[in-house]
Amino acid sequence: MNYTGIVGDAKPNSDERPPGPALRFVAAGLIVRDGTVLIGQRRPDQPMALLWEFPGGKIEAGETPEQALARELDEELGIRATIGPFVTHVRHNYRHGGAVDLQFFAVHEFTGEIESRIYHEVRWVRIEELAEYEFLAADRGLIKDLAAGKLL
């Protein structure tokens, strides 16, 4: 019996189910200063308009999460950040079908003046006041943990 022929004749998986939600890998920064953290509000013309989020963005092919975050903070805010320790990881499936895999890092040091290059608004907010802001769904569990003093 020729096993190679049998394996070679195998048909690719013909599962007819549609693919799962697209999963985006994202690095985000918890930029901390004197008991406050920097948050950004999405623009009115963006999906999930006017919701708040932590700065960061998509991890590109060949980048580490830390490299992606440093690049994104430069692009979004005009700062050169020293990426600190990993804080937590969140995976969230949105109702509309998308999914995001978020890695959060602390950022305690940066150079440059913060500019709002992509946001409707940026604010320094006391950690215990974060729950007063309407955040993206993927960030809401993190907000509770931060406010409870569990992560930073």
Side-chain angles (χ1 to χ4, degrees):
M1 179 176 237
N2 182 346
Y3 290 103
T4 307
I6 294 170
V7 171
D9 294 339
K11 302 244 187 289
N13 185 353
S14 61
D15 191 345
E16 295 298 321
R17 290 180 298 170
L23 180 61
R24 291 184 314 131
F25 291 90
V26 172
L30 300 173
I31 305 172
V32 181
R33 179 181 73 183
D34 299 325
T36 64
V37 64
L38 188 74
I39 60 174
Q41 186 180 40
R42 297 172 70 89
R43 293 187 323 265
D45 62 333
Q46 289 181 293
M48 297 176 267
L50 301 176
L51 295 181
W52 294 87
E53 65 183 3
F54 296 101
K58 184 178 175 189
I59 301 169
E60 301 291 349
E63 283 183 317
T64 66
E66 294 89 346
Q67 290 168 332
L69 181 55
R71 176 184 51 75
E72 289 283 348
L73 295 178
D74 182 32
E75 292 173 4
E76 293 180 1
L77 301 171
I79 60 173
R80 298 188 81 61
T82 301
I83 308 304
F86 172 81
V87 175
T88 193
H89 173 256
V90 174
R91 185 170 283 193
H92 181 79
N93 294 315
Y94 283 99
R95 283 182 291 196
H96 62 70
V100 64
D101 184 283
L102 288 154
Q103 294 184 53
F104 291 91
F105 294 85
V107 176
H108 296 281
E109 298 177 23
F110 63 87
T111 59
E113 292 296 318
I114 291 177
E115 305 172 42
S116 181
R117 294 180 174 176
I118 67 158
Y119 290 109
H120 181 65
E121 183 180 350
V122 293
R123 285 187 189 169
W124 289 101
V125 177
R126 296 198 57 73
I127 292 171
E128 59 272 13
E129 295 172 357
L130 286 170
E132 297 172 17
Y133 291 82
E134 190 174 356
F135 274 83
L136 294 172
D139 292 340
R140 292 179 190 153
L142 172 67
I143 299 301
K144 290 177 187 170
D145 288 345
L146 285 169
K150 294 181 181 179
L151 299 173
L152 291 176

